Amino acid sequence: MTIQQLHYFLTLCQELNYSHAAARLYLSRQALRQSIQALEQELCSPLFANDHNHLSLTQKGQQLRDLAAPVVEQFDQMCQKARRHLVTHPVIRLGISQALVPDYLPSLGDYLDQFRQAYPGIPLETIIEPNDQTVHQLLAGRRDAVLVMDLGRAPSHTLRRPLTVHAFALMVGHNSPYWNRASLCPRELEGAQMLTPGLDEWITRPMQDLFAADGVSITLQLAVSFYQAIYAMQEYGAVGFTRLEQSHITDTDNVREVKLEGMPSLYASFLTREAPPDPCLDLLYHILLDQLNQNL
């Protein structure tokens, strides 16, 4: 569910009439109904009862209303704070890991453009750079926030907020001995060359600890971009890590994902420095999170 869906739901709770609620939201009745139906399907329960065209909240609907109201109110307050900062807010410098584009977050550019259009008073500058370098630049004060790929661990002196989470998988080339496998266990990777978007300990340690626990020795090799990883897999059989979700790009490049059992989840995360909160950075994070939840 998204903030937008909860906003629509709360408006309908107030009006208890689809036509009136749709008019307040500048939506069609059909669009509003589809949004409510999507919520009901997600929660596996009706939220409204209809008795001779008279709407009333079900018990589940009342529970959701009580939970959703403070969430939407908090989001609205955050937006108001961000707007008060628009006049004097400096440019947001956002570092983006090369590991996340174009395959992991293929629509990220569209979401950032939507943010710029919705909030033209918040200047946003994006810089695509290696996964580790984004963090170094953040800690040096040259980035205000960064988007990175990680395994659930944050670098020291940063605040980490996940945007997406997926099962960990290996990305293998068509000439790999693992090509026809649906899944692997760590023991089967003894001596493998493992491509990683970064070599800093905060990203490699969760993976190294699991291999070490099984007595498995692997060689970590840096591949900062998706296309660099594709080349290494096809040229000498290295394996890279990615999310377990086949994509159009990997189909066309003759690579596929193989689940690696027992590994930590793979995340795209939004990192900022440990500092007083910035309402505009908070707004950017929540807009990205909302868009990704709607489209992943």
Side-chain angles (χ1 to χ4, degrees):
M1 65 184 68
T2 67
I3 290 290
Q4 185 181 65
Q5 285 177 307
L6 293 179
H7 176 59
Y8 292 172
F9 166 73
L10 291 174
T11 302
L12 186 56
C13 287
Q14 294 169 359
E15 296 292 340
L16 292 177
N17 181 290
Y18 274 99
S19 295
H20 295 169
R24 274 183 58 184
L25 294 166
Y26 300 99
L27 291 174
S28 66
R29 280 173 53 92
Q30 181 182 6
L32 179 57
R33 282 186 179 276
Q34 289 174 344
S35 178
I36 300 301
Q37 287 170 357
L39 270 179
E40 291 177 330
Q41 289 173 3
E42 184 174 347
L43 297 173
C44 301
S45 177
L47 300 174
F48 294 91
N50 191 336
D51 183 16
H52 301 290
N53 293 323
H54 177 72
L55 287 184
S56 61
L57 282 164
T58 63
Q59 183 177 2
K60 178 70 76 170
Q62 293 172 5
Q63 293 172 346
L64 181 61
R65 178 193 60 192
D66 294 341
L67 291 170
V71 173
V72 174
E73 181 180 1
Q74 183 179 22
F75 182 78
D76 290 342
Q77 290 175 354
M78 181 188 65
C79 292
Q80 292 171 9
K81 290 180 181 178
R83 292 188 183 101
R84 288 199 294 268
H85 283 69
L86 294 185
V87 175
T88 59
H89 198 283
V91 63
I92 292 178
R93 300 161 300 175
L94 178 67
I96 302 171
S97 168
Q98 287 178 285
L100 296 176
V101 291
D103 185 55
Y104 194 102
L105 297 178
S107 299
L108 177 61
D110 293 336
Y111 304 152
L112 294 173
D113 284 344
Q114 290 172 22
F115 176 83
R116 291 186 178 99
Q117 292 171 15
Y119 301 96
I122 307 178
L124 177 63
E125 174 187 316
T126 58
I127 310 97
I128 297 177
E129 52 201 354
N131 205 70
D132 289 347
Q133 186 176 331
T134 61
V135 175
H136 299 164
Q137 296 283 49
L138 175 68
L139 294 175
R142 290 187 286 270
R143 304 288 181 267
D144 302 296
V146 297
L147 304 182
V148 297
M149 182 182 287
D150 66 71
L151 297 174
R153 181 174 292 187
S156 299
H157 309 298
T158 65
L159 173 64
R160 172 182 174 271
R161 288 182 280 184
L163 286 166
T164 67
V165 57
H166 289 90
F168 185 102
L170 291 178
M171 188 159 55
V172 302
H174 67 277
N175 59 350
S176 168
Y178 311 122
W179 177 258
N180 292 317
R181 298 290 299 275
S183 64
L184 292 166
C185 64
R187 290 187 181 90
E188 297 178 88
L189 293 177
E190 174 65 38
Q193 294 186 68
M194 174 76 75
L195 304 171
T196 173
L199 292 174
D200 284 355
E201 185 174 7
W202 66 272
I203 187 171
T204 63
R205 180 54 57 190
M207 178 174 59
Q208 289 183 350
D209 288 346
L210 287 170
F211 280 115
D214 283 339
V216 177
S217 175
I218 61 171
T219 301
L220 293 179
Q221 179 179 336
L222 184 65
V224 300
S225 72
F226 174 77
Y227 293 113
Q228 184 179 347
I230 294 292
Y231 174 81
M233 281 181 281
Q234 294 180 342
E235 285 298 307
Y236 50 85
V239 296
F241 62 81
T242 186
R243 71 199 189 289
L244 187 64
E245 184 176 341
Q246 194 74 30
S247 71
H248 173 72
I249 293 178
T250 53
D251 283 344
T252 58
D253 280 306
N254 295 317
V255 299
R256 64 184 298 263
E257 290 90 23
V258 178
K259 184 176 182 180
L260 186 55
E261 303 289 350
M263 294 299 287
S265 297
L266 187 66
Y267 297 85
S269 297
F270 186 94
L271 301 185
T272 54
R273 293 185 298 279
E274 290 180 338
D278 181 322
C280 291
L281 290 178
D282 290 344
L283 180 61
L284 174 59
Y285 166 72
H286 282 92
I287 293 295
L288 289 175
L289 182 65
D290 198 43
Q291 289 291 330
L292 288 165
N293 282 340
Q294 290 185 60
N295 293 286
L296 284 182

